[in-house]
Amino acid sequence: MLKDIMYDRKAALEYAKKWAFKRNPDYLNFENIGGDCTSYISQCIYAGCKVMNYTPIYGWYYKNSYDRSPSWSGVEFLYNFLVNNKSVGPYGIETNKENVQAGDIIELGDKESHFYHTLIINKIYKGEIFVSAHSIDSYMRPLNNYSYDKLKFIHIIGARKYA
């Protein structure tokens, strides 16, 4: 039986701050193989929910550099997992700028709707969003300092685990 659990935004944000300018040695640094942004965001989300989904291919997990899901480190795979997950692990909904909060996720895209970068929201102050990311390491960087054509906002609702 699945049980809903809270997404601990504070824990996710503390993790984001701690690791914004360095790499956690428990995880592969993807910098030289496509970028570390989504793995870093997955680590932040995991810090906030402490539940992985070990479903082969379609889950969301990291055991080691050779045993991980595509959604752990792939921008669009993470989006698809979060908004479609009906099982164990974190889940959310795509929303708009007005309905996100600190600890939620943003994905940046180009004109062709190819999404290529993942960010975590650190703070929203007077309508301005500040984020953290890897692959150009940032902490509390204003979102409007990024160049992009499209945005996806993902509100993390919570997570599920087996009771």
Side-chain angles (χ1 to χ4, degrees):
M1 183 162 123
L2 289 176
K3 174 184 174 184
D4 280 309
I5 59 173
M6 186 183 89
Y7 175 55
D8 185 345
R9 294 175 183 280
K10 182 178 178 185
L13 293 170
E14 286 171 358
Y15 188 96
K17 182 177 182 179
K18 178 177 182 177
W19 296 103
F21 296 104
K22 53 189 175 182
R23 302 299 185 264
N24 183 334
D26 292 339
Y27 300 95
L28 175 68
N29 179 357
F30 289 84
E31 202 64 46
N32 295 321
I33 52 174
D36 197 55
C37 66
T38 305
S39 175
Y40 167 68
I41 299 308
S42 284
Q43 293 168 47
C44 294
I45 295 168
Y46 180 68
C49 71
K50 300 288 189 218
V51 181
M52 292 187 186
N53 179 317
Y54 293 99
T55 304
I57 302 171
Y58 300 108
W60 176 78
Y61 66 92
Y62 183 98
K63 292 181 184 176
N64 58 55
S65 62
Y66 300 101
D67 191 0
R68 64 185 190 277
S69 65
S71 60
W72 187 266
S73 56
V75 177
E76 297 204 33
F77 293 108
L78 176 62
Y79 169 85
N80 288 333
F81 176 80
L82 289 172
V83 301
N84 294 306
N85 183 27
K86 306 286 187 245
S87 187
V88 175
Y91 63 95
I93 57 170
E94 185 172 348
T95 189
N96 56 35
K97 181 180 178 180
E98 291 71 37
N99 291 307
V100 290
Q101 59 193 80
D104 284 341
I105 309 306
I106 300 173
E107 293 187 347
L108 308 182
D110 61 22
K111 290 177 186 165
E112 290 78 37
S113 296
H114 170 256
F115 287 83
Y116 56 83
H117 195 43
T118 311
L119 317 162
I120 187 168
I121 299 172
N122 296 116
K123 182 178 184 177
I124 303 170
Y125 181 71
K126 294 186 178 181
E128 187 162 3
I129 295 176
F130 297 87
V131 298
S132 288
H134 276 183
S135 299
I136 293 182
D137 294 359
S138 304
Y139 178 71
M140 294 294 284
R141 180 177 174 180
L143 178 61
N144 64 14
N145 284 5
Y146 283 89
S147 178
Y148 55 85
D149 294 307
K150 296 183 179 183
L151 294 172
K152 284 185 191 173
F153 295 96
I154 306 165
H155 173 64
I156 307 294
I157 296 169
R160 297 179 194 97
K161 68 177 186 176
Y162 286 109

